[in-house]
Amino acid sequence: LRLLGIKMLLVDEALACRHYAVHEGKPFFKKLIEYITSGPVVAMVVAGDRAVDSVRLIMGATDPVQAAPGTIRSDFAMEMERNLVHGSDTNEHAKEEIALFFKDSEICDYRRVDDAWVYPRANPAP
């Protein structure tokens, strides 16, 4: 995985509502908004082969009680409404969410010298 962007910010209610718009009208919507606006958030853009799936494995199941040991949610969360981390569930949602939190100029796309060996299908070795 490659980290292409990272920043700390305070999410206001308007941004929170856009971010969680898919959950509007659900019983837990208000708690989501309250939680994400309650303190600083670290937003990241992560890229790589199957990045969405890889990051979701690192995060663990949405319910911390069901998350595998060693995942962020298992190790650091106690309640589903406060599961500490959000990650996009599809590439399409990732693009939408990145656009909410990052300007194009804040994303640093680059290649590593070992990319050809890490991702041989995408970058054949010279």
Side-chain angles (χ1 to χ4, degrees):
L1 297 172
R2 291 178 292 128
L3 187 58
L4 304 185
I6 185 169
K7 66 179 171 180
M8 183 183 287
L9 68 149
L10 294 171
V11 177
D12 63 25
E13 189 171 337
L15 176 57
C17 287
R18 287 196 311 273
H19 178 62
Y20 286 124
V22 67
H23 298 301
E24 193 168 0
K26 295 179 182 172
F28 55 86
F29 179 74
K30 185 178 176 190
K31 286 186 177 186
L32 280 175
I33 301 306
E34 288 173 357
Y35 187 54
I36 198 170
T37 59
S38 68
V41 168
V42 176
M44 299 187 301
V45 178
V46 180
D49 192 27
R50 299 181 353 219
V52 168
D53 294 335
S54 298
V55 170
R56 291 185 70 78
L57 281 174
I58 293 166
M59 292 183 337
T62 305
D63 184 347
V65 174
Q66 311 238 336
T71 62
I72 294 168
R73 290 173 173 157
S74 170
D75 290 358
F76 300 105
M78 297 298 292
E79 300 175 16
M80 218 155 97
E81 282 101 8
R82 294 175 174 246
N83 63 24
L84 290 180
V85 64
H86 169 83
S88 304
D89 59 345
T90 66
N91 289 335
E92 294 75 28
H93 288 154
K95 288 176 187 172
E96 293 168 7
E97 292 175 358
I98 289 167
L100 284 175
F101 292 94
F102 289 87
K103 300 174 190 164
D104 287 345
S105 62
E106 296 175 314
I107 299 172
C108 304
D109 199 1
Y110 60 94
R111 298 284 174 236
R112 297 184 313 210
V113 295
D114 64 346
D115 276 352
W117 288 272
V118 176
Y119 301 112
R121 291 183 309 264
N123 302 303

